[in-house]
Amino acid sequence: MPQIVELPERPYIGITKTITMTTFGLVADRIAEMVGWLAERGHGPAGAPFLRYHDIDMPHDRLVVEAGVPVAAPVEGGGDFHAATLPAGRYVTESSHGHPDRLSGVIESLLKWADEQGLAWDMTEKGGVEHWGCRLELYQTDPRVEPDLNKWDIDLQFRLA
Protein backbone atom coordinates (compact mmCIF):
# COMPACT_ATOMS: atom_id res chain seq x y z
CA MET A 1 0.00 0.00 0.00
CA PRO A 2 1.47 3.40 -0.93
CA GLN A 3 2.44 5.82 1.82
CA ILE A 4 2.76 9.60 1.86
CA VAL A 5 5.96 10.83 3.50
CA GLU A 6 7.66 14.19 3.95
CA LEU A 7 11.24 14.15 2.66
CA PRO A 8 13.96 16.81 3.07
CA GLU A 9 16.21 18.14 0.32
CA ARG A 10 18.83 15.53 -0.58
CA PRO A 11 22.13 16.38 -2.33
CA TYR A 12 23.49 14.06 -5.01
CA ILE A 13 25.80 13.66 -7.96
CA GLY A 14 24.07 12.85 -11.23
CA ILE A 15 24.21 12.50 -14.98
CA THR A 16 21.28 13.25 -17.28
CA LYS A 17 20.67 11.69 -20.69
CA THR A 18 17.90 11.59 -23.28
CA ILE A 19 17.19 7.92 -23.91
CA THR A 20 14.62 5.45 -25.21
CA MET A 21 13.07 2.45 -23.47
CA THR A 22 15.79 0.25 -24.98
CA THR A 23 18.77 2.50 -24.16
CA PHE A 24 18.43 2.83 -20.36
CA GLY A 25 21.97 1.52 -20.01
CA LEU A 26 23.34 4.82 -21.36
CA VAL A 27 22.38 6.41 -18.07
CA ALA A 28 21.83 3.55 -15.57
CA ASP A 29 25.19 1.93 -16.29
CA ARG A 30 26.94 5.12 -15.17
CA ILE A 31 25.93 4.62 -11.51
CA ALA A 32 28.91 2.38 -10.71
CA GLU A 33 31.21 4.94 -12.34
CA MET A 34 29.72 7.71 -10.16
CA VAL A 35 30.21 5.64 -7.00
CA GLY A 36 33.87 5.14 -7.97
CA TRP A 37 34.25 8.83 -8.84
CA LEU A 38 32.90 9.76 -5.40
CA ALA A 39 35.19 7.24 -3.66
CA GLU A 40 38.23 8.76 -5.41
CA ARG A 41 37.28 12.06 -3.78
CA GLY A 42 36.68 10.58 -0.31
CA HIS A 43 32.90 10.41 -0.49
CA GLY A 44 30.54 7.48 -0.31
CA PRO A 45 26.89 7.07 -1.20
CA ALA A 46 24.46 8.38 1.43
CA GLY A 47 21.62 6.15 0.28
CA ALA A 48 20.38 4.11 -2.63
CA PRO A 49 21.32 5.15 -6.17
CA PHE A 50 18.35 6.19 -8.24
CA LEU A 51 16.89 6.99 -11.61
CA ARG A 52 15.04 10.30 -11.79
CA TYR A 53 12.55 10.79 -14.61
CA HIS A 54 12.38 14.39 -15.81
CA ASP A 55 10.44 14.00 -19.08
CA ILE A 56 8.40 11.04 -20.28
CA ASP A 57 7.24 11.02 -23.89
CA MET A 58 6.00 7.46 -24.42
CA PRO A 59 4.35 8.06 -27.82
CA HIS A 60 7.77 9.05 -29.22
CA ASP A 61 9.80 6.66 -26.99
CA ARG A 62 11.81 9.56 -25.59
CA LEU A 63 12.74 9.96 -21.93
CA VAL A 64 14.97 12.42 -20.13
CA VAL A 65 16.37 10.39 -17.24
CA GLU A 66 19.00 11.14 -14.65
CA ALA A 67 21.05 8.58 -12.75
CA GLY A 68 22.03 9.81 -9.31
CA VAL A 69 23.95 8.85 -6.22
CA PRO A 70 22.99 10.62 -2.98
CA VAL A 71 25.74 12.16 -0.87
CA ALA A 72 25.78 13.27 2.78
CA ALA A 73 26.74 16.85 1.91
CA PRO A 74 26.94 18.71 -1.41
CA VAL A 75 29.87 17.68 -3.60
CA GLU A 76 31.13 19.69 -6.56
CA GLY A 77 30.48 17.96 -9.87
CA GLY A 78 33.11 17.24 -12.47
CA GLY A 79 33.32 15.94 -16.02
CA ASP A 80 29.81 15.03 -17.09
CA PHE A 81 28.69 14.49 -13.48
CA HIS A 82 26.78 17.41 -11.97
CA ALA A 83 25.87 18.30 -8.41
CA ALA A 84 22.19 18.74 -7.66
CA THR A 85 19.59 18.43 -4.92
CA LEU A 86 16.37 16.45 -4.83
CA PRO A 87 13.58 18.80 -3.74
CA ALA A 88 11.99 18.58 -0.32
CA GLY A 89 8.30 17.86 -0.17
CA ARG A 90 5.56 15.32 0.20
CA TYR A 91 6.15 12.11 -1.74
CA VAL A 92 4.04 9.05 -2.42
CA THR A 93 6.23 6.02 -1.83
CA GLU A 94 5.82 2.38 -2.75
CA SER A 95 8.18 -0.61 -2.71
CA SER A 96 8.61 -3.33 -5.30
CA HIS A 97 10.37 -6.66 -4.96
CA GLY A 98 11.41 -8.41 -8.13
CA HIS A 99 12.65 -7.77 -11.62
CA PRO A 100 12.69 -4.09 -12.71
CA ASP A 101 10.47 -5.12 -15.65
CA ARG A 102 7.66 -5.48 -13.05
CA LEU A 103 7.80 -1.77 -12.24
CA SER A 104 5.34 -0.73 -14.93
CA GLY A 105 2.55 -2.63 -13.14
CA VAL A 106 3.55 -1.25 -9.73
CA ILE A 107 3.65 2.29 -11.17
CA GLU A 108 0.26 1.83 -12.81
CA SER A 109 -1.22 0.75 -9.46
CA LEU A 110 0.46 3.66 -7.68
CA LEU A 111 -0.90 6.20 -10.17
CA LYS A 112 -4.39 4.69 -9.93
CA TRP A 113 -4.27 4.74 -6.10
CA ALA A 114 -3.21 8.41 -6.09
CA ASP A 115 -6.00 9.29 -8.52
CA GLU A 116 -8.54 7.55 -6.27
CA GLN A 117 -7.18 9.56 -3.32
CA GLY A 118 -7.53 12.83 -5.26
CA LEU A 119 -3.80 13.52 -5.11
CA ALA A 120 -2.05 15.82 -7.58
CA TRP A 121 1.49 15.16 -8.79
CA ASP A 122 4.34 17.62 -9.15
CA MET A 123 3.97 17.09 -12.89
CA THR A 124 2.77 19.05 -15.88
CA GLU A 125 1.78 17.65 -19.24
CA LYS A 126 2.33 19.49 -22.48
CA GLY A 127 1.86 18.01 -25.93
CA GLY A 128 1.61 14.49 -24.52
CA VAL A 129 4.92 14.82 -22.66
CA GLU A 130 4.97 14.47 -18.86
CA HIS A 131 7.39 16.87 -17.12
CA TRP A 132 8.00 15.64 -13.55
CA GLY A 133 9.28 17.76 -10.68
CA CYS A 134 10.65 14.66 -8.94
CA ARG A 135 9.84 11.05 -9.88
CA LEU A 136 12.34 8.51 -8.56
CA GLU A 137 13.18 4.82 -8.65
CA LEU A 138 15.63 4.02 -5.84
CA TYR A 139 17.62 0.82 -6.31
CA GLN A 140 18.01 -0.65 -2.80
CA THR A 141 19.73 -3.84 -3.98
CA ASP A 142 23.44 -3.74 -4.82
CA PRO A 143 23.84 -5.75 -8.06
CA ARG A 144 27.36 -6.77 -6.97
CA VAL A 145 25.83 -8.52 -3.95
CA GLU A 146 22.64 -9.78 -5.63
CA PRO A 147 22.96 -10.14 -9.41
CA ASP A 148 19.56 -11.90 -9.74
CA LEU A 149 17.22 -9.10 -10.87
CA ASN A 150 14.24 -11.15 -9.65
CA LYS A 151 15.44 -10.56 -6.07
CA TRP A 152 15.91 -6.80 -6.30
CA ASP A 153 14.17 -4.26 -4.04
CA ILE A 154 13.21 -0.96 -5.66
CA ASP A 155 11.47 1.96 -3.97
CA LEU A 156 9.38 4.50 -5.85
CA GLN A 157 9.11 8.12 -4.68
CA PHE A 158 6.84 10.47 -6.65
CA ARG A 159 6.56 14.06 -5.40
CA LEU A 160 3.14 15.56 -4.87
CA ALA A 161 2.18 19.07 -6.00
Side-chain angles (χ1 to χ4, degrees), residues 16-19 52-56 62-66:
T16 305
K17 297 280 184 190
T18 300
I19 60 170
R52 180 178 181 182
Y53 294 76
H54 291 281
D55 298 335
I56 301 174
R62 181 185 168 279
L63 304 115
V64 177
V65 178
E66 181 177 21

Side-chain angles (χ1 to χ4, degrees), residues 73-97:
V75 174
E76 188 175 322
D80 56 356
F81 300 146
H82 58 264
T85 304
L86 296 173
R90 291 181 340 129
Y91 287 76
V92 173
T93 66
E94 180 67 291
S95 296
S96 174
H97 179 77

Side-chain angles (χ1 to χ4, degrees), residues 53-56 122-127 129-133:
Y53 294 76
H54 291 281
D55 298 335
I56 301 174
D122 178 12
M123 186 269 290
T124 57
E125 187 174 337
K126 184 176 179 183
V129 180
E130 296 177 354
H131 304 280
W132 287 82

Side-chain angles (χ1 to χ4, degrees), residues 60-121:
H60 297 103
D61 191 22
R62 181 185 168 279
L63 304 115
V64 177
V65 178
E66 181 177 21
V69 177
V71 291
V75 174
E76 188 175 322
D80 56 356
F81 300 146
H82 58 264
T85 304
L86 296 173
R90 291 181 340 129
Y91 287 76
V92 173
T93 66
E94 180 67 291
S95 296
S96 174
H97 179 77
H99 199 288
D101 288 349
R102 288 187 59 240
L103 282 178
S104 61
V106 176
I107 291 168
E108 186 178 309
S109 295
L110 174 72
L111 295 173
K112 181 180 178 196
W113 175 85
D115 187 51
E116 291 168 352
Q117 304 301 311
L119 300 173
W121 299 115

Side-chain angles (χ1 to χ4, degrees), residues 13 33-46 69-76:
I13 290 293
E33 184 182 344
M34 277 188 279
V35 171
W37 184 88
L38 285 166
E40 290 171 0
R41 288 153 182 78
H43 303 283
V69 177
V71 291
V75 174
E76 188 175 322

Side-chain angles (χ1 to χ4, degrees), residues 128-142:
V129 180
E130 296 177 354
H131 304 280
W132 287 82
C134 197
R135 176 178 168 161
L136 304 170
E137 294 173 1
L138 294 95
Y139 289 81
Q140 301 293 346
T141 304
D142 185 335

